[in-house]
Structure formats: C-alpha cells, structure tokens
C-alpha cells in the first residue's frame, strides 16, 4: 500500500469518526458536565450594592421572566450579541428603577454560544445586586458550545444555597422544552432564615403544573418561604388555589395581567411571601421589553 493510499484511508477514517466524537461530547456534556442539582452561587464583590426603596422592616421584590433576552429566533437562528445586550440594558433600567431587595428571574441564560453573555451576571452587575444564585433547567450542546439557562435570584444581601430540585415531568437532558427545576436558596428577613424559590412551572400540562405546585409545597413544608416567578397558572386555576388555600402565604393571588402575546393578556406571574407578612403594594410595570411584565411586590416583614 502506497503512502498516498494510507493518507487517504487515514483521512476517511478521521472523517468517519467525527460524528462519533460529536455525539460523545454531546453525551459527556449532558450526563457529566450539565444537570447541576446544586445552585450556582456567586458573590460579585466588585459590584456596589444598590440602594433599596424599602425602609427597615419592609422588603421589595421583583419577579421577571426575561424570555432568554430574546436571543433565540427559532431553530438554529440566534440574535446578535449586540441585540441581546440592548434588551438586557433596558431590562436592567426597569429593575433598577424599582430599587428592589431581590429579583426572581425566569428564562435567564447563563450560556449561549452564538451570542454568549451571562444574562444573570449581567443583570446582577447592572442592578447593583451582588449576591447571585442560578439554577439550571437545561444545559445542552458541546462542552465548548452549549445553551444553559433556567431560574435565578439576585439579592442585595447574602444568599445561602439550598437546592435546585427536579420538578415533576422532567424529561431527558437532550429535551430543552418545558424541562423544569425549582431554585431554592435561603436569606435572612426579620432576623430569621426564609426560603426563597425562583420558579418557572409547566406551561403545557396543567395537571402536571398542579403536581409541581404540590411538590413545591411538600418541599417547603412548614418553613417560611417566598415563592416567586412564572407559575404558568391563572388566578382561577388549580395550582394558585392550592397555594392560597394552604394559608401559609400572603400576596396578590389575582391582579392585572403579566403575560402578553398577541391578543392574550393573562396573569401568570406571582410573588407569595410567608403568611405572617403583610402585602403593602403589588403592581405590574408597564414595560414591553419582554413578553412578561415585571411584577413588583412590597411586604412588611413580621
């Protein structure tokens, strides 16, 4: 066999093994490098802490589904980094104006190879909220080119990691649509630890959405907790009624719509605090940067 023939055979073999290599790296990322069950915690020590509008004994929270910064256009099409940053800058302006003590994010990307920007860290820096927790709902792709995103909490005060639990109906790692986890951390309010959960529940199967709500209540138990995010459930639906009927939470169980799509306008986002607290203010910010409007709630901490 001539040297030329050996080279041709080597090239053919290398090209033939390339798909196997890609599949192997995809599986490695999905099975070993992704699927973080523990919250990813950051303290951005170089970020000055923003002022809070809440006096002592009160706390202001924002719940905001940022729709991935509209980075994904469908299929394999993505927006430019400049487009995504422009969206994030506007979102940061809206959040900063509320001077919150904590922000609960849904649909926030920490990695996206085509227009890579950590949306969670960016908003934390821009809003002066240096204590950050992120919980992956999905992480798919290759180790050096992947999409990772989920829920997050940005806070003026320190956060302690608790869990990033799988919610009912979770699918294999290569399925990114409707794969849900719930991010739990703990922070101190009124001199005692309080659980804080950032949520984005099932948007297709309302029976599974109800199962997820019960799962969240079981996890919380009798501990004081804040549940905030995109519940994908309307005020009259079973999941919201279930949470209300426990008597363990206060907040606005009804109110103006938070989600807008075409002619649709629905209340899907909520912030529920421990029952011993008092809701002082609840309103929806009239800003259409995302398809969800930011929900702002202010509580008296008891």
């Amino acid at each position: 066999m001539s040297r030329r023939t050996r080279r041709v055979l080597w090239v053919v073999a290398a090209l033939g093994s390339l798909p196997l290599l890609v599949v192997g790296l995809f599986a490695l990322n999905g099975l070993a490098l992704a699927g973080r069950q523990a919250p990813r915690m950051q303290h951005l020590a170089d970020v000055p802490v923003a002022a809070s509008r809440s006096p002592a004994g009160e706390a202001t929270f924002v719940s905001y589904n940022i729709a991935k910064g509209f980075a994904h256009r469908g299929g394999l099409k993505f927006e430019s980094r400049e487009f995504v940053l422009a969206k994030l800058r506007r979102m940061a302006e809206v959040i900063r104006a509320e001077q919150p003590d904590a922000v609960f994010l849904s649909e926030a990307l920490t990695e996206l190879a085509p227009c890579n920007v950590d949306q969670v860290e960016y908003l934390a820096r821009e809003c002066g909220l240096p204590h950050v927790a992120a919980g992956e709902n999905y992480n798919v792709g290759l180790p050096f080119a992947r999409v990772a995103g989920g829920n997050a909490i940005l806070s003026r005060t320190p956060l302690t990691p608790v869990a990033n639990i799988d919610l009912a109906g979770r699918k294999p790692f290569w399925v990114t649509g409707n794969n849900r986890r719930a991010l739990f951390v703990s922070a101190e309010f009124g001199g005692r630890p309080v659980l804080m959960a950032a949520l984005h529940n099932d948007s297709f199967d309302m029976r599974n959405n109800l199962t997820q709500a019960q799962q969240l209540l079981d996890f919380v138990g009798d501990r004081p907790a804040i549940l905030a995010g995109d519940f994908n459930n309307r005020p009259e639906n079973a999941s919201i009624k279930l949470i209300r009927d426990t008597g363990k939470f206060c907040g606005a169980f009804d109110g103006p719509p938070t989600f807008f799509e075409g002619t649709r306008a629905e209340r899907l986002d909520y912030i529920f605090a421990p029952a011993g607290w008092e809701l002082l203010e609840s309103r929806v910010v009239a800003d259409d940067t995302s398809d969800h409007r930011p929900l702002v709630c202010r509580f008296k901490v008891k």
Side-chain angles (χ1 to χ4, degrees):
M1 183 183 297
S2 67
R3 179 178 297 178
R4 178 183 178 85
T5 302
R6 286 197 299 269
R7 286 178 178 173
V8 170
L9 292 175
W10 184 89
V11 170
V12 170
L15 292 175
S17 63
L18 184 60
L20 294 177
L21 176 63
V22 171
V23 170
L25 289 173
F26 182 83
L28 172 67
N29 181 74
L31 297 174
L33 303 180
R36 298 189 181 106
Q37 287 298 101
R40 188 192 74 173
M41 309 299 296
Q42 288 180 280
H43 175 212
L44 307 174
D46 59 322
V47 173
V49 180
S52 169
R53 73 164 47 179
S54 302
E58 297 181 8
T60 299
F61 304 119
V62 172
S63 174
Y64 200 178
N65 182 325
I66 65 171
K68 308 180 185 71
F70 291 85
H72 187 213
R73 296 169 54 193
L76 295 177
K77 296 180 180 179
F78 301 91
E79 294 289 357
S80 68
R81 177 182 170 87
E82 291 71 24
F83 176 91
V84 175
L85 285 174
K87 284 281 189 182
L88 293 174
R89 276 193 292 271
R90 176 56 190 158
M91 292 173 180
E93 290 173 3
V94 172
I95 294 171
R96 273 200 310 270
E98 301 302 328
Q99 296 180 295
D101 297 288
V103 177
F104 298 79
L105 298 177
S106 307
E107 288 198 65
L109 297 180
T110 52
E111 292 185 55
L112 179 60
C115 52
N116 204 16
V117 55
D118 187 331
Q119 299 176 2
V120 174
E121 182 176 338
Y122 179 91
L123 290 175
R125 288 186 175 278
E126 290 294 308
C127 297
L129 300 169
H131 301 279
V132 183
E136 285 183 0
N137 283 350
Y138 49 85
N139 185 325
V140 64
L142 306 180
F144 47 84
R146 58 190 184 178
V147 180
N151 305 310
I153 299 174
L154 320 177
S155 173
R156 296 179 61 253
T157 57
L159 302 173
T160 301
V162 176
N164 188 38
I165 64 172
D166 286 350
L167 290 181
R170 185 164 178 83
K171 303 173 183 63
F173 76 87
W174 57 84
V175 180
T176 59
N178 210 39
N179 250 353
R180 311 299 194 198
R181 288 192 176 114
L183 170 65
F184 281 92
V185 299
S186 177
E188 190 171 287
F189 292 95
R192 67 183 298 194
V194 175
L195 285 178
M196 303 172 71
L199 310 173
H200 185 203
N201 294 353
D202 196 322
S203 56
F204 296 103
D205 185 341
M206 291 300 102
R207 288 177 299 178
N208 191 55
N209 186 294
L210 179 60
T211 300
Q212 291 176 348
Q214 184 62 61
Q215 184 183 354
L216 293 168
L217 293 174
D218 292 341
F219 183 86
V220 169
D222 292 326
R223 293 176 288 182
I226 301 164
L227 306 179
D230 181 357
F231 286 71
N232 272 312
N233 218 238
R234 301 161 191 83
E236 69 275 11
N237 291 154
S239 294
I240 303 305
K241 290 182 178 180
L242 174 67
I243 295 169
R244 181 195 63 202
D245 291 347
T246 64
K248 296 180 178 180
F249 298 92
C250 75
F253 292 91
D254 203 341
T258 60
F259 172 75
F260 296 81
E261 182 183 53
T263 58
R264 288 178 63 192
E266 300 176 309
R267 177 83 168 198
L268 300 180
D269 304 83
Y270 305 84
I271 301 174
F272 301 131
W277 295 18
E278 178 185 352
L279 178 64
L280 300 176
E281 178 186 15
S282 177
R283 56 189 170 80
V284 177
V285 180
D287 181 85
D288 62 357
T289 307
S290 173
D291 54 359
H292 287 253
R293 307 296 189 260
L295 173 65
V296 182
C297 291
R298 182 168 56 90
F299 296 90
K300 184 170 184 177
V301 180
K302 297 183 180 179

